[in-house]
Amino acid sequence: MLVESPPEQRAETAPAPPTRRAVRAFGLLLSVVLLVLVALASIAIGAKELSLGQVWHGLFEDSGTYGDVVVAERLSRTLLGLLAGAALGLAGAVLQALTRNPLADPGLLGINAGASAAVVTAITYFGVTSLTGYVWFAFFGAAAVGALVWFLGGSRGATPVRLALAGTAVSAALYGYLQAVMIMDEAALGKMRFWTVGSLASATNSTITQVLPFVLTGTVLALALARPLNAMAMGDDTAKALGANLNRTRALSMLAATVLCGAATAACGPIVFVGLMVPHVVRSFTGPDLRWILPYAAILSPVLLLGADVIGRIVARPSELQVGIVTAILGGPVFIFLVRRRRTAQL
């Protein structure tokens, strides 16, 4: 005769449901797998189709065939997309946390435009031609415009709408300046017309090695700021009670965003909406904890950037559509949706 266990014993022996931490960790692993698949697609898909065998041969064997050369070129492009995507995603997540503004983005706040204007000025008027030369101009332009937008938006009293309007106004002025410089200087026009819309096409091994230290530095700094930024999200008074240094956290957050955005813009040109879209998608299933948002953003932002780059190669064959144009087309409707949803929530 079978004796049924009492409810208390059944409850003790029943398997425990997965914790939220375990679910997040599993999702992070799936994100890494997705990133690997998109990176392989970025290497295999282009003007010339390559099979998985050719991709494998080009990655791990060196015979000098045409397919191997294509793989080598696309590998540099893919690696740059990984670095730039991670940098833009982290910069967007940090800026959104710092400003408590869900619409904050390096492109929408004018930081990309500031870096672009500084780089074009360096190339056109100072004869700077190497990435290591004009990356410092990109950092200066990004920092200067970030500070200007923060001031125009009301500094500590800034609201999401005021920051977005200030960023839009500053970006419009700077992009007008860019167009004027390129129209007056035909050499600059020929050299910069693809860079100013954002592209991964000019990626080289040299570009990657020059950008890598800045992206790594900004990434480590951004991840280290997760806890103090979490504390600041609960209000300045609570953050102080928890031991957070508000001024230092704000300064280091702006530094991290500037280094990340400056490096990505110097290498690829201004690419907008990546830092806006990905943190919103991530926040919907991780919650507001930046200890999870930042790693997810660093992984999924390259997925978006490389995916957009692959789309640009497919829709305009045998030519290609620059990745900055594709992300703008994808990001515009997302931005409108976010603004309308926020307005509806406030009514």
Side-chain angles (χ1 to χ4, degrees), residues 208-278:
I208 294 168
T209 56
Q210 292 175 32
V211 168
L212 181 60
F214 298 104
V215 175
L216 288 178
T217 300
T219 298
V220 171
L221 182 57
L223 294 176
L225 290 168
R227 288 184 181 275
L229 285 173
N230 276 342
M232 288 179 59
M234 295 183 285
D236 290 356
D237 293 337
T238 304
K240 289 179 181 178
L242 293 174
N245 188 319
L246 301 186
N247 291 331
R248 182 176 63 188
T249 301
R250 290 191 179 104
L252 291 177
S253 297
M254 286 300 297
L255 176 62
T258 298
V259 170
L260 290 168
C261 183
T265 304
C268 308
I271 299 176
V272 297
F273 289 118
V274 173
L276 171 67
M277 289 187 285
V278 175

Short mmCIF file of all heavy atoms in Angstrom, two decimals, residues 208-278:
data_model
loop_
_atom_site.label_atom_id
_atom_site.label_comp_id
_atom_site.label_asym_id
_atom_site.label_seq_id
_atom_site.Cartn_x
_atom_site.Cartn_y
_atom_site.Cartn_z
N ILE A 208 42.10 48.12 -35.80
CA ILE A 208 41.68 47.34 -34.63
C ILE A 208 42.68 47.48 -33.50
O ILE A 208 42.31 47.70 -32.34
CB ILE A 208 41.48 45.87 -35.03
CG1 ILE A 208 40.32 45.75 -36.02
CG2 ILE A 208 41.21 45.01 -33.80
CD1 ILE A 208 40.22 44.41 -36.68
N THR A 209 43.96 47.33 -33.80
CA THR A 209 44.97 47.40 -32.75
C THR A 209 45.06 48.79 -32.12
O THR A 209 45.38 48.93 -30.94
CB THR A 209 46.35 47.01 -33.30
OG1 THR A 209 46.67 47.85 -34.43
CG2 THR A 209 46.37 45.56 -33.74
N GLN A 210 44.74 49.83 -32.89
CA GLN A 210 44.79 51.19 -32.35
C GLN A 210 43.57 51.51 -31.50
O GLN A 210 43.66 52.25 -30.52
CB GLN A 210 44.91 52.19 -33.50
CG GLN A 210 46.24 52.12 -34.24
CD GLN A 210 46.29 53.03 -35.44
OE1 GLN A 210 45.67 54.10 -35.46
NE2 GLN A 210 47.02 52.64 -36.47
N VAL A 211 42.42 50.94 -31.86
CA VAL A 211 41.19 51.22 -31.13
C VAL A 211 41.06 50.35 -29.89
O VAL A 211 40.49 50.76 -28.87
CB VAL A 211 39.97 51.03 -32.06
CG1 VAL A 211 38.67 51.03 -31.28
CG2 VAL A 211 39.94 52.13 -33.11
N LEU A 212 41.59 49.14 -29.95
CA LEU A 212 41.39 48.15 -28.89
C LEU A 212 41.74 48.66 -27.49
O LEU A 212 40.94 48.46 -26.57
CB LEU A 212 42.19 46.89 -29.22
CG LEU A 212 42.07 45.73 -28.22
CD1 LEU A 212 40.63 45.26 -28.10
CD2 LEU A 212 42.98 44.57 -28.63
N PRO A 213 42.89 49.32 -27.26
CA PRO A 213 43.20 49.77 -25.89
C PRO A 213 42.16 50.73 -25.33
O PRO A 213 41.82 50.67 -24.14
CB PRO A 213 44.57 50.44 -26.04
CG PRO A 213 45.15 49.87 -27.29
CD PRO A 213 44.01 49.61 -28.18
N PHE A 214 41.64 51.63 -26.17
CA PHE A 214 40.66 52.60 -25.71
C PHE A 214 39.34 51.91 -25.37
O PHE A 214 38.70 52.23 -24.35
CB PHE A 214 40.43 53.67 -26.77
CG PHE A 214 41.66 54.47 -27.08
CD1 PHE A 214 42.38 54.25 -28.25
CD2 PHE A 214 42.12 55.45 -26.22
CE1 PHE A 214 43.51 54.99 -28.55
CE2 PHE A 214 43.25 56.19 -26.49
CZ PHE A 214 43.95 55.96 -27.67
N VAL A 215 38.92 50.96 -26.21
CA VAL A 215 37.66 50.26 -25.95
C VAL A 215 37.78 49.41 -24.69
O VAL A 215 36.86 49.38 -23.86
CB VAL A 215 37.26 49.39 -27.16
CG1 VAL A 215 36.02 48.57 -26.84
CG2 VAL A 215 37.01 50.26 -28.38
N LEU A 216 38.90 48.74 -24.51
CA LEU A 216 39.09 47.93 -23.30
C LEU A 216 39.10 48.80 -22.05
O LEU A 216 38.47 48.46 -21.03
CB LEU A 216 40.40 47.14 -23.40
CG LEU A 216 40.42 45.97 -24.39
CD1 LEU A 216 41.80 45.31 -24.40
CD2 LEU A 216 39.34 44.96 -24.08
N THR A 217 39.78 49.94 -22.12
CA THR A 217 39.83 50.85 -20.97
C THR A 217 38.42 51.36 -20.62
O THR A 217 38.01 51.35 -19.46
CB THR A 217 40.75 52.04 -21.26
OG1 THR A 217 42.07 51.56 -21.54
CG2 THR A 217 40.81 52.99 -20.07
N GLY A 218 37.69 51.81 -21.64
CA GLY A 218 36.33 52.30 -21.40
C GLY A 218 35.41 51.22 -20.91
O GLY A 218 34.54 51.46 -20.05
N THR A 219 35.57 49.98 -21.40
CA THR A 219 34.73 48.87 -20.98
C THR A 219 34.96 48.53 -19.51
O THR A 219 34.00 48.36 -18.74
CB THR A 219 35.00 47.63 -21.85
OG1 THR A 219 34.68 47.93 -23.21
CG2 THR A 219 34.17 46.45 -21.39
N VAL A 220 36.21 48.42 -19.12
CA VAL A 220 36.53 48.12 -17.72
C VAL A 220 36.00 49.21 -16.80
O VAL A 220 35.41 48.93 -15.74
CB VAL A 220 38.06 47.95 -17.53
CG1 VAL A 220 38.42 47.85 -16.05
CG2 VAL A 220 38.55 46.73 -18.29
N LEU A 221 36.16 50.47 -17.20
CA LEU A 221 35.68 51.58 -16.38
C LEU A 221 34.15 51.56 -16.27
O LEU A 221 33.59 51.76 -15.18
CB LEU A 221 36.16 52.90 -16.98
CG LEU A 221 35.79 54.18 -16.22
CD1 LEU A 221 36.30 54.13 -14.79
CD2 LEU A 221 36.37 55.40 -16.95
N ALA A 222 33.48 51.31 -17.39
CA ALA A 222 32.01 51.28 -17.37
C ALA A 222 31.49 50.15 -16.47
O ALA A 222 30.57 50.34 -15.68
CB ALA A 222 31.48 51.11 -18.79
N LEU A 223 32.08 48.96 -16.59
CA LEU A 223 31.62 47.83 -15.77
C LEU A 223 31.89 48.09 -14.29
O LEU A 223 31.09 47.68 -13.43
CB LEU A 223 32.33 46.55 -16.21
CG LEU A 223 31.99 46.04 -17.63
CD1 LEU A 223 32.82 44.83 -17.97
CD2 LEU A 223 30.50 45.72 -17.75
N ALA A 224 32.99 48.77 -13.98
CA ALA A 224 33.31 49.08 -12.59
C ALA A 224 32.34 50.08 -11.98
O ALA A 224 32.22 50.17 -10.75
CB ALA A 224 34.73 49.61 -12.49
N LEU A 225 31.62 50.84 -12.82
CA LEU A 225 30.69 51.86 -12.33
C LEU A 225 29.28 51.32 -12.11
O LEU A 225 28.39 52.09 -11.74
CB LEU A 225 30.63 53.02 -13.33
CG LEU A 225 31.89 53.89 -13.42
CD1 LEU A 225 31.81 54.81 -14.63
CD2 LEU A 225 32.07 54.71 -12.15
N ALA A 226 29.07 50.03 -12.32
CA ALA A 226 27.71 49.48 -12.22
C ALA A 226 27.12 49.70 -10.83
O ALA A 226 25.97 50.15 -10.70
CB ALA A 226 27.73 47.99 -12.58
N ARG A 227 27.86 49.39 -9.79
CA ARG A 227 27.31 49.53 -8.43
C ARG A 227 27.02 50.98 -8.05
O ARG A 227 25.91 51.28 -7.57
CB ARG A 227 28.27 48.88 -7.43
CG ARG A 227 28.28 47.36 -7.49
CD ARG A 227 29.16 46.77 -6.41
NE ARG A 227 29.19 45.32 -6.47
CZ ARG A 227 28.31 44.52 -5.90
NH1 ARG A 227 27.30 45.05 -5.21
NH2 ARG A 227 28.40 43.21 -6.01
N PRO A 228 27.97 51.92 -8.21
CA PRO A 228 27.64 53.31 -7.85
C PRO A 228 26.50 53.89 -8.70
O PRO A 228 25.70 54.68 -8.21
CB PRO A 228 28.95 54.07 -8.07
CG PRO A 228 29.81 53.19 -8.88
CD PRO A 228 29.41 51.79 -8.57
N LEU A 229 26.41 53.50 -9.96
CA LEU A 229 25.31 53.98 -10.79
C LEU A 229 23.98 53.38 -10.33
O LEU A 229 22.94 54.04 -10.39
CB LEU A 229 25.55 53.66 -12.26
CG LEU A 229 26.60 54.53 -12.97
CD1 LEU A 229 26.88 54.00 -14.38
CD2 LEU A 229 26.15 55.99 -13.03
N ASN A 230 24.00 52.13 -9.88
CA ASN A 230 22.80 51.54 -9.28
C ASN A 230 22.35 52.33 -8.06
O ASN A 230 21.16 52.58 -7.85
CB ASN A 230 23.06 50.09 -8.89
CG ASN A 230 22.88 49.12 -10.04
OD1 ASN A 230 22.24 49.44 -11.04
ND2 ASN A 230 23.45 47.93 -9.90
N ALA A 231 23.32 52.74 -7.24
CA ALA A 231 22.99 53.52 -6.06
C ALA A 231 22.41 54.88 -6.45
O ALA A 231 21.43 55.35 -5.84
CB ALA A 231 24.23 53.71 -5.18
N MET A 232 22.98 55.54 -7.46
CA MET A 232 22.49 56.85 -7.89
C MET A 232 21.09 56.77 -8.47
O MET A 232 20.35 57.75 -8.44
CB MET A 232 23.46 57.45 -8.91
CG MET A 232 24.77 57.90 -8.31
SD MET A 232 25.91 58.60 -9.54
CE MET A 232 24.93 59.95 -10.20
N ALA A 233 20.72 55.60 -8.99
CA ALA A 233 19.37 55.45 -9.55
C ALA A 233 18.30 55.58 -8.48
O ALA A 233 17.14 55.88 -8.78
CB ALA A 233 19.24 54.11 -10.26
N MET A 234 18.65 55.37 -7.23
CA MET A 234 17.70 55.48 -6.12
C MET A 234 17.63 56.89 -5.54
O MET A 234 16.93 57.11 -4.55
CB MET A 234 18.07 54.48 -5.01
CG MET A 234 17.94 53.04 -5.45
SD MET A 234 18.30 51.85 -4.12
CE MET A 234 20.08 51.98 -4.04
N GLY A 235 18.34 57.83 -6.16
CA GLY A 235 18.31 59.21 -5.68
C GLY A 235 19.64 59.59 -5.05
O GLY A 235 20.36 58.74 -4.52
N ASP A 236 19.96 60.87 -5.11
CA ASP A 236 21.25 61.34 -4.61
C ASP A 236 21.40 61.09 -3.11
O ASP A 236 22.47 60.67 -2.64
CB ASP A 236 21.42 62.83 -4.91
CG ASP A 236 21.63 63.10 -6.40
OD1 ASP A 236 21.72 62.11 -7.15
OD2 ASP A 236 21.70 64.28 -6.78
N ASP A 237 20.36 61.35 -2.35
CA ASP A 237 20.46 61.18 -0.90
C ASP A 237 20.70 59.72 -0.54
O ASP A 237 21.54 59.41 0.32
CB ASP A 237 19.18 61.69 -0.21
CG ASP A 237 19.03 63.20 -0.34
OD1 ASP A 237 20.06 63.88 -0.53
OD2 ASP A 237 17.88 63.69 -0.25
N THR A 238 19.96 58.82 -1.17
CA THR A 238 20.15 57.40 -0.90
C THR A 238 21.53 56.94 -1.33
O THR A 238 22.18 56.14 -0.64
CB THR A 238 19.08 56.57 -1.62
OG1 THR A 238 17.79 57.02 -1.23
CG2 THR A 238 19.22 55.10 -1.32
N ALA A 239 21.99 57.45 -2.49
CA ALA A 239 23.32 57.07 -2.97
C ALA A 239 24.40 57.51 -1.99
O ALA A 239 25.35 56.76 -1.72
CB ALA A 239 23.55 57.69 -4.34
N LYS A 240 24.26 58.72 -1.45
CA LYS A 240 25.23 59.19 -0.46
C LYS A 240 25.20 58.32 0.79
O LYS A 240 26.25 57.99 1.35
CB LYS A 240 24.93 60.65 -0.09
CG LYS A 240 25.24 61.65 -1.19
CD LYS A 240 24.89 63.06 -0.73
CE LYS A 240 25.17 64.08 -1.83
NZ LYS A 240 24.80 65.46 -1.42
N ALA A 241 24.00 57.94 1.21
CA ALA A 241 23.89 57.08 2.40
C ALA A 241 24.53 55.72 2.17
O ALA A 241 25.03 55.10 3.11
CB ALA A 241 22.42 56.92 2.77
N LEU A 242 24.52 55.27 0.92
CA LEU A 242 25.13 53.98 0.59
C LEU A 242 26.63 54.09 0.34
O LEU A 242 27.28 53.09 0.02
CB LEU A 242 24.45 53.38 -0.65
CG LEU A 242 22.99 52.95 -0.47
CD1 LEU A 242 22.38 52.52 -1.79
CD2 LEU A 242 22.88 51.82 0.56
N GLY A 243 27.16 55.31 0.44
CA GLY A 243 28.60 55.49 0.31
C GLY A 243 29.08 55.84 -1.08
O GLY A 243 30.29 55.85 -1.32
N ALA A 244 28.18 56.16 -2.00
CA ALA A 244 28.60 56.51 -3.36
C ALA A 244 29.09 57.94 -3.41
O ALA A 244 28.50 58.84 -2.82
CB ALA A 244 27.43 56.32 -4.34
N ASN A 245 30.18 58.15 -4.12
CA ASN A 245 30.72 59.49 -4.35
C ASN A 245 30.09 60.02 -5.64
O ASN A 245 30.47 59.61 -6.74
CB ASN A 245 32.24 59.44 -4.46
CG ASN A 245 32.87 60.81 -4.51
OD1 ASN A 245 32.35 61.72 -5.17
ND2 ASN A 245 33.98 60.98 -3.81
N LEU A 246 29.12 60.94 -5.50
CA LEU A 246 28.34 61.35 -6.66
C LEU A 246 29.18 62.06 -7.71
O LEU A 246 29.09 61.76 -8.91
CB LEU A 246 27.19 62.26 -6.20
CG LEU A 246 26.20 61.65 -5.20
CD1 LEU A 246 25.05 62.61 -4.95
CD2 LEU A 246 25.67 60.32 -5.71
N ASN A 247 30.00 63.02 -7.29
CA ASN A 247 30.79 63.77 -8.26
C ASN A 247 31.78 62.87 -8.98
O ASN A 247 31.97 62.98 -10.20
CB ASN A 247 31.53 64.91 -7.55
CG ASN A 247 30.58 65.99 -7.05
OD1 ASN A 247 29.51 66.20 -7.64
ND2 ASN A 247 30.95 66.67 -5.97
N ARG A 248 32.43 61.98 -8.24
CA ARG A 248 33.40 61.08 -8.88
C ARG A 248 32.69 60.13 -9.84
O ARG A 248 33.19 59.87 -10.94
CB ARG A 248 34.15 60.29 -7.81
CG ARG A 248 35.23 59.36 -8.39
CD ARG A 248 36.00 58.67 -7.30
NE ARG A 248 35.13 57.80 -6.50
CZ ARG A 248 35.51 57.19 -5.40
NH1 ARG A 248 36.74 57.37 -4.93
NH2 ARG A 248 34.66 56.41 -4.73
N THR A 249 31.52 59.63 -9.45
CA THR A 249 30.79 58.72 -10.32
C THR A 249 30.35 59.41 -11.59
O THR A 249 30.46 58.84 -12.70
CB THR A 249 29.56 58.15 -9.58
OG1 THR A 249 29.99 57.45 -8.41
CG2 THR A 249 28.79 57.20 -10.47
N ARG A 250 29.85 60.64 -11.47
CA ARG A 250 29.44 61.38 -12.67
C ARG A 250 30.63 61.65 -13.59
O ARG A 250 30.54 61.49 -14.81
CB ARG A 250 28.77 62.70 -12.26
CG ARG A 250 27.41 62.53 -11.60
CD ARG A 250 26.70 63.87 -11.46
NE ARG A 250 25.39 63.70 -10.85
CZ ARG A 250 25.11 64.01 -9.58
NH1 ARG A 250 26.05 64.51 -8.80
NH2 ARG A 250 23.89 63.83 -9.10
N ALA A 251 31.75 62.07 -13.01
CA ALA A 251 32.92 62.38 -13.82
C ALA A 251 33.46 61.12 -14.52
O ALA A 251 33.77 61.15 -15.72
CB ALA A 251 34.01 62.99 -12.93
N LEU A 252 33.54 60.01 -13.79
CA LEU A 252 34.05 58.78 -14.39
C LEU A 252 33.07 58.23 -15.43
O LEU A 252 33.49 57.63 -16.43
CB LEU A 252 34.30 57.74 -13.30
CG LEU A 252 35.47 58.04 -12.36
CD1 LEU A 252 35.58 56.96 -11.28
CD2 LEU A 252 36.78 58.14 -13.12
N SER A 253 31.77 58.42 -15.21
CA SER A 253 30.78 57.96 -16.19
C SER A 253 30.91 58.74 -17.50
O SER A 253 30.88 58.15 -18.59
CB SER A 253 29.37 58.10 -15.62
OG SER A 253 29.19 57.29 -14.49
N MET A 254 31.06 60.05 -17.39
CA MET A 254 31.26 60.86 -18.60
C MET A 254 32.58 60.49 -19.28
O MET A 254 32.66 60.44 -20.52
CB MET A 254 31.25 62.34 -18.25
CG MET A 254 29.88 62.90 -17.93
SD MET A 254 28.71 62.74 -19.33
CE MET A 254 29.50 63.76 -20.56
N LEU A 255 33.61 60.20 -18.49
CA LEU A 255 34.89 59.79 -19.06
C LEU A 255 34.75 58.47 -19.81
O LEU A 255 35.25 58.32 -20.94
CB LEU A 255 35.94 59.67 -17.96
CG LEU A 255 37.31 59.15 -18.39
CD1 LEU A 255 37.95 60.12 -19.38
CD2 LEU A 255 38.21 58.96 -17.17
N ALA A 256 34.06 57.49 -19.19
CA ALA A 256 33.87 56.20 -19.84
C ALA A 256 33.10 56.34 -21.15
O ALA A 256 33.49 55.78 -22.19
CB ALA A 256 33.14 55.24 -18.90
N ALA A 257 32.00 57.12 -21.12
CA ALA A 257 31.19 57.31 -22.32
C ALA A 257 31.99 58.03 -23.41
O ALA A 257 31.89 57.70 -24.59
CB ALA A 257 29.93 58.09 -21.99
N THR A 258 32.80 59.01 -23.00
CA THR A 258 33.59 59.76 -23.97
C THR A 258 34.66 58.88 -24.62
O THR A 258 34.85 58.92 -25.84
CB THR A 258 34.26 60.96 -23.28
OG1 THR A 258 33.24 61.82 -22.77
CG2 THR A 258 35.12 61.74 -24.26
N VAL A 259 35.36 58.08 -23.81
CA VAL A 259 36.40 57.20 -24.36
C VAL A 259 35.78 56.18 -25.31
O VAL A 259 36.28 55.95 -26.42
CB VAL A 259 37.16 56.51 -23.22
CG1 VAL A 259 38.07 55.41 -23.77
CG2 VAL A 259 37.98 57.52 -22.44
N LEU A 260 34.68 55.56 -24.90
CA LEU A 260 34.04 54.54 -25.73
C LEU A 260 33.50 55.14 -27.02
O LEU A 260 33.73 54.61 -28.11
CB LEU A 260 32.91 53.87 -24.94
CG LEU A 260 33.35 52.98 -23.78
CD1 LEU A 260 32.17 52.61 -22.89
CD2 LEU A 260 34.01 51.71 -24.30
N CYS A 261 32.77 56.23 -26.89
CA CYS A 261 32.16 56.85 -28.08
C CYS A 261 33.24 57.45 -28.99
O CYS A 261 33.15 57.34 -30.21
CB CYS A 261 31.17 57.92 -27.65
SG CYS A 261 30.30 58.70 -29.01
N GLY A 262 34.25 58.08 -28.39
CA GLY A 262 35.31 58.67 -29.20
C GLY A 262 36.06 57.62 -29.99
O GLY A 262 36.36 57.82 -31.18
N ALA A 263 36.37 56.48 -29.38
CA ALA A 263 37.09 55.42 -30.08
C ALA A 263 36.25 54.85 -31.22
O ALA A 263 36.74 54.66 -32.34
CB ALA A 263 37.48 54.32 -29.10
N ALA A 264 34.97 54.57 -30.94
CA ALA A 264 34.10 54.00 -31.98
C ALA A 264 33.90 54.98 -33.13
O ALA A 264 33.94 54.58 -34.30
CB ALA A 264 32.75 53.63 -31.37
N THR A 265 33.72 56.25 -32.82
CA THR A 265 33.49 57.25 -33.87
C THR A 265 34.75 57.48 -34.68
O THR A 265 34.69 57.64 -35.91
CB THR A 265 33.00 58.57 -33.25
OG1 THR A 265 31.82 58.31 -32.49
CG2 THR A 265 32.67 59.58 -34.34
N ALA A 266 35.91 57.51 -34.04
CA ALA A 266 37.15 57.71 -34.77
C ALA A 266 37.39 56.58 -35.76
O ALA A 266 37.90 56.80 -36.86
CB ALA A 266 38.32 57.81 -33.78
N ALA A 267 37.01 55.36 -35.39
CA ALA A 267 37.27 54.21 -36.25
C ALA A 267 36.21 54.02 -37.33
O ALA A 267 36.54 53.60 -38.45
CB ALA A 267 37.36 52.94 -35.40
N CYS A 268 34.95 54.31 -37.02
CA CYS A 268 33.85 53.95 -37.93
C CYS A 268 33.04 55.14 -38.43
O CYS A 268 32.23 54.99 -39.34
CB CYS A 268 32.88 52.99 -37.23
SG CYS A 268 33.65 51.56 -36.49
N GLY A 269 33.19 56.31 -37.81
CA GLY A 269 32.30 57.41 -38.10
C GLY A 269 31.10 57.38 -37.16
O GLY A 269 30.96 56.46 -36.35
N PRO A 270 30.23 58.37 -37.27
CA PRO A 270 29.09 58.44 -36.34
C PRO A 270 28.03 57.40 -36.68
O PRO A 270 27.49 57.37 -37.77
CB PRO A 270 28.55 59.87 -36.57
CG PRO A 270 28.97 60.21 -37.97
CD PRO A 270 30.29 59.52 -38.20
N ILE A 271 27.73 56.53 -35.71
CA ILE A 271 26.69 55.51 -35.86
C ILE A 271 25.69 55.72 -34.73
O ILE A 271 26.05 55.64 -33.56
CB ILE A 271 27.29 54.10 -35.80
CG1 ILE A 271 28.29 53.89 -36.94
CG2 ILE A 271 26.19 53.05 -35.87
CD1 ILE A 271 29.00 52.56 -36.89
N VAL A 272 24.46 56.02 -35.09
CA VAL A 272 23.46 56.40 -34.10
C VAL A 272 22.52 55.24 -33.78
O VAL A 272 22.45 54.25 -34.51
CB VAL A 272 22.63 57.61 -34.59
CG1 VAL A 272 23.53 58.82 -34.77
CG2 VAL A 272 21.91 57.29 -35.89
N PHE A 273 21.82 55.39 -32.65
CA PHE A 273 20.72 54.53 -32.20
C PHE A 273 21.15 53.19 -31.62
O PHE A 273 20.33 52.53 -30.97
CB PHE A 273 19.70 54.29 -33.32
CG PHE A 273 18.87 55.49 -33.66
CD1 PHE A 273 18.91 56.05 -34.92
CD2 PHE A 273 18.06 56.07 -32.71
CE1 PHE A 273 18.16 57.16 -35.23
CE2 PHE A 273 17.29 57.19 -33.02
CZ PHE A 273 17.35 57.73 -34.27
N VAL A 274 22.39 52.75 -31.82
CA VAL A 274 22.81 51.47 -31.23
C VAL A 274 22.75 51.56 -29.71
O VAL A 274 22.23 50.67 -29.03
CB VAL A 274 24.22 51.09 -31.70
CG1 VAL A 274 24.72 49.85 -30.95
CG2 VAL A 274 24.23 50.83 -33.20
N GLY A 275 23.29 52.65 -29.16
CA GLY A 275 23.28 52.83 -27.71
C GLY A 275 21.92 53.14 -27.13
O GLY A 275 21.75 53.12 -25.91
N LEU A 276 20.95 53.45 -27.97
CA LEU A 276 19.58 53.71 -27.52
C LEU A 276 18.75 52.44 -27.50
O LEU A 276 18.09 52.12 -26.51
CB LEU A 276 18.91 54.75 -28.42
CG LEU A 276 17.41 54.97 -28.19
CD1 LEU A 276 17.18 55.61 -26.83
CD2 LEU A 276 16.82 55.84 -29.30
N MET A 277 18.82 51.67 -28.60
CA MET A 277 17.93 50.53 -28.74
C MET A 277 18.30 49.37 -27.82
O MET A 277 17.44 48.80 -27.15
CB MET A 277 17.93 50.06 -30.20
CG MET A 277 17.23 50.99 -31.16
SD MET A 277 17.09 50.29 -32.82
CE MET A 277 18.76 50.47 -33.42
N VAL A 278 19.56 49.01 -27.81
CA VAL A 278 19.97 47.80 -27.10
C VAL A 278 19.71 47.88 -25.59
O VAL A 278 19.14 46.94 -25.01
CB VAL A 278 21.43 47.45 -27.40
CG1 VAL A 278 21.88 46.26 -26.57
CG2 VAL A 278 21.61 47.15 -28.88
#
